[in-house]
Amino acid sequence: MRYAGRIRTAVIIVAFGLLELLCRTGVISGFTMIPPSTIAGSLIEILLSGRFSADIMVTLRNVSVAILAAMLIGPLLAIILHQVPGLRRILDPLFATYYAIPVYAFYPLLMVIFGLGDLPQIAVGFLLAIVAVLINTLNGLDRVPPVLLKVARMHRLGPVATAVKVRLPFAAPYIFTGFKLCVAYSFVGVIGAEFITSSRGIGYEISYAYNNFDNRVMYPLIFLILTIATVINMSLYAWERKLLARRSSVS
Amino acid sequence: MTAAPAAGAHASLRDVTRIYPPRAGRPALHALGPVSLDLARGEFFAVVGPSGCGKSTLLDVMAGLVAPSAGTVTFEGKPVYAQVPDGIGVVFQEDASFPWLTVYDNIAFGLRQEGRTANEVRASTEFAIDFMGLKEFASAYPAQLSGGMRQRVCIARTLVLKPRLILLDEPFGALDQQTRLLMGDELLRLWRETGATILLITHAIDEAAMLADRVGIMSARPGTFMDVVSTDWPRERDSTIVSDPAFGLLTSRIWTLLRAESLRSMGHK
Ligand SMILES: Nc1ncnc2c1ncn2[C@@H]1O[C@H](COP(=O)(O)OP(=O)(O)OP(=O)(O)O)[C@@H](O)[C@H]1O
Ligand SMILES: [Mg+2]
């Protein structure tokens, strides 16, 4: 492990140790926070008992659907917008202000459109995620060096082949940035939506536990989400580093 | 000026000009011409000219990558327009290697595009990798190579397709003088073996004088041919001709023509 990595690990261990100590000595009351060791223990218990398995599966499935949809449709839409500059000019202001729009404000509307099932949650996750993919892919497509497009024309690639074999591969590192944000936004969108109105999912169970002062459920579930998001992000990060290592001269 | 290309010319430009349209507040720019040029089949033609005079534009127009603003381009008797005809291969001035592909996959790109069988792709690609001295780097990515090696990857990627007209835009620009001379020898060998027609753009007068059958000398922008000098070298030749007294005469003649134009392109009167 590198120096920075060791420091990081040390900071995390110390922070958790301190929290444990403060909770155990009663400086932080049990109503506010429970000791990290108890959180971990309860989480294992929860996972083994299968009490929230259905909720966990629902959330993970909905998040996955939102992520995959955004990852597939985002680059496709970007390619189309890149080819139709007029359309892009019209939509540019929307993209520029997109993350200033409180998506949750539209939740009632989404429920009217998609009903009471899983679709409104997925829609919120997807809507938050797709624009990150779209904007980053467009950014990458804008940077394709003209000479590479000349090479494509020399090999007589049509517009679709040029997109698939030259433009998108060149833009891959940018698209990847979009994908990382897409994962984060999908979690935020889906779980946030579960908080507001839903009768299942991790978000719903956290909010239910919160309303019932059930810290032994609330904190372990929060911890579970943190762990899942961190693991996914770290694997994306590792994959990205492998991808970038090829494209940078320092190997 | 004649209206039709010379009979039997492999590729020709007839009264070609190129004016880049105004863009983003910049006025229209007359980059090239009018120029006329006939390349005989199997000829090695070099172009020298001051920087910014329109050499790369000439190459783009000839390849069908850029449409002429006026005039006509013909290749093998057919007009070239808005598409690169089959049989033309281009090596660009800038680094045009695909950074996401290995050296091997870069070189195999065009062959796969043409739908060759896996065996053909492998055989041709491996041959080209050997030929260009890239064997150790077959599985490296362009970012891990020097500029000169990247340029060799691009040369190989174009040459594996066995183009009948090869357009090279300062292909040895990133190489040191020794490697340049040796690559020149390799190019001559390839030219003799394949019978291809070559148009080579270079800023090195000695390179043009040593390699080409004819050297076209361009004026400052908008570039036109001020003169075309025949070298009269035998087809069997290599870099040892640099010690031939005729070589010295040739380079000094080209330089005399080019000197005033180069000064002009640098803003001197
Ligand atoms: N796509 C373009 N749009 C507008 N102007 C261009 C474009 N490409 C080239 N030019 C301009 O046309 C002129 C000729 O450019 P060109 O690249 O053909 O010259 P060159 O002789 O190849 O130069 P160099 O010696 O630097 O390679 C230059 O003034 C250049 O700025
Ligand atoms: Mg040039």
Side-chain angles (χ1 to χ4, degrees):
Chain A
M1 211 187 306
R2 294 237 216 88
Y3 184 63
R6 275 202 296 264
I7 299 254
R8 196 154 46 224
T9 315
V11 167
I12 291 170
I13 290 172
V14 168
F16 273 104
L18 202 64
L19 196 59
E20 183 84 28
L21 196 72
L22 292 175
C23 289
R24 292 267 174 221
T25 51
V27 176
I28 296 176
S29 99
F31 289 113
T32 312
M33 176 86 206
I34 54 174
S37 59
T38 313
I39 295 178
S42 302
L43 178 59
I44 292 169
E45 214 175 282
I46 284 171
L47 290 177
L48 289 179
S49 74
R51 190 172 148 205
F52 294 116
S53 294
D55 294 289
I56 294 169
M57 289 317 290
V58 163
T59 300
L60 290 185
R61 192 197 60 207
N62 290 352
V63 170
S64 309
V65 172
I67 290 173
L68 289 179
M71 282 183 176
L72 280 176
I73 300 172
L76 202 70
L77 226 56
I79 280 280
I80 294 170
L81 283 180
H82 190 78
Q83 298 286 324
V84 190
L87 188 59
R88 183 173 173 190
R89 266 197 298 279
I90 293 170
L91 290 174
D92 254 344
L94 172 67
F95 297 151
T97 55
Y98 191 78
Y99 286 106
I101 301 169
V103 178
Y104 294 112
F106 294 100
Y107 200 69
L109 189 68
L110 293 175
M111 286 195 359
V112 170
I113 299 171
F114 294 118
L116 285 172
D118 292 331
L119 278 178
Q121 287 90 281
I122 295 175
V124 171
F126 171 76
L127 286 175
L128 269 180
I130 185 157
V131 174
V133 180
L134 198 63
I135 291 174
N136 282 287
T137 307
L138 278 172
N139 184 23
L141 293 176
D142 288 342
R143 285 162 201 265
V144 179
V147 71
L148 296 191
L149 298 174
K150 283 186 185 172
V151 174
R153 291 183 54 203
M154 180 184 95
H155 288 109
R156 285 184 297 286
L157 269 60
V160 176
T162 303
V164 173
K165 291 184 175 166
V166 178
R167 290 185 199 270
L168 286 175
F170 179 86
Y174 299 89
I175 299 174
F176 216 93
T177 303
F179 281 0
K180 282 194 302 185
L181 290 169
C182 159
V183 169
Y185 281 131
S186 295
F187 269 98
V188 170
V190 169
I191 292 172
E194 286 173 351
F195 262 86
I196 301 175
T197 323
S198 177
S199 50
R200 52 191 194 145
I202 303 176
Y204 165 74
E205 294 298 349
I206 289 174
S207 118
Y208 187 85
Y210 169 74
N211 288 326
N212 291 290
F213 307 101
D214 192 354
N215 281 353
R216 284 177 162 269
V217 169
M218 186 177 86
Y219 281 113
L221 287 182
I222 292 175
F223 185 61
L224 176 66
I225 291 176
L226 265 177
T227 311
I228 294 171
T230 309
V231 167
I232 293 178
N233 249 301
M234 274 169 51
S235 22
L236 281 175
Y237 183 70
W239 187 14
E240 183 186 37
R241 288 224 338 204
K242 230 169 77 181
L243 198 85
L244 287 181
R246 295 177 185 170
R247 312 237 325 221
S248 66
S249 42
V250 281
S251 50
Chain B
M1 283 182 204
T2 49
H10 194 195
S12 49
L13 303 176
R14 194 58 58 220
D15 303 326
V16 162
T17 54
R18 171 67 198 176
I19 298 164
Y20 288 105
R23 194 184 54 180
R26 277 185 297 169
L29 187 134
H30 186 173
L32 176 73
V35 288
S36 296
L37 175 67
D38 291 305
L39 299 181
R41 194 177 279 272
E43 179 179 24
F44 197 136
F45 192 92
V47 176
V48 292
S51 60
C53 74
K55 302 183 294 294
S56 299
T57 303
L58 173 88
L59 175 136
D60 280 354
V61 169
M62 195 147 207
L65 287 162
V66 154
S69 308
T72 52
V73 184
T74 6
F75 174 63
E76 298 183 340
K78 292 191 204 74
V80 175
Y81 195 80
Q83 205 193 337
V84 183
D86 181 44
I88 294 186
V90 187
V91 176
F92 297 96
Q93 186 172 12
E94 306 94 327
D95 173 19
S97 57
F98 294 136
W100 59 92
L101 295 180
T102 60
V103 166
Y104 184 96
D105 289 333
N106 258 288
I107 295 172
F109 184 86
L111 295 165
R112 289 181 177 144
Q113 193 54 35
E114 286 188 348
R116 308 281 185 88
T117 67
N119 280 335
E120 278 178 307
V121 171
R122 192 172 338 106
S124 301
T125 306
E126 276 168 7
F127 178 80
I129 284 175
D130 271 354
F131 186 85
M132 284 289 154
L134 292 163
K135 198 161 187 170
E136 292 168 63
F137 303 101
S139 54
Y141 287 88
Q144 289 142 17
L145 306 180
S146 69
M149 282 199 278
R150 278 205 286 271
Q151 191 58 290
R152 259 138 73 191
V153 172
C154 295
I155 296 173
R157 183 178 59 193
T158 296
L159 294 187
V160 281
L161 299 173
K162 300 203 164 54
R164 299 184 293 281
L165 172 62
I166 308 172
L167 307 174
L168 300 153
D169 198 348
E170 306 212 7
F172 310 139
L175 302 180
D176 58 85
Q177 181 68 12
Q178 303 84 287
T179 316
R180 220 170 168 39
L181 286 172
L182 293 178
M183 290 298 288
D185 282 339
E186 291 299 329
L187 187 61
L188 282 173
R189 192 157 68 83
L190 186 117
W191 168 66
R192 273 194 301 271
E193 283 169 10
T194 60
T197 308
I198 293 184
L199 180 104
L200 170 79
I201 292 170
T202 175
H203 60 255
I205 296 171
D206 55 345
E207 196 171 279
M210 158 189 144
L211 295 174
D213 295 318
R214 288 193 295 160
V215 180
I217 297 134
M218 283 178 89
S219 67
R221 182 173 68 80
T224 54
F225 284 112
M226 294 192 298
D227 203 352
V228 176
V229 176
S230 292
T231 60
D232 299 319
W233 300 125
R235 200 171 163 82
E236 292 290 333
R237 58 180 180 257
D238 60 32
S239 55
T240 54
I241 54 174
V242 296
S243 54
D244 194 308
F247 180 81
L249 290 175
L250 203 57
T251 49
S252 65
R253 180 163 165 218
I254 296 170
W255 175 236
T256 309
L257 283 162
L258 209 51
R259 190 172 177 275
E261 288 304 311
S262 298
L263 285 172
R264 237 180 70 184
S265 81
M266 289 169 71
H268 298 265
K269 290 289 146 194

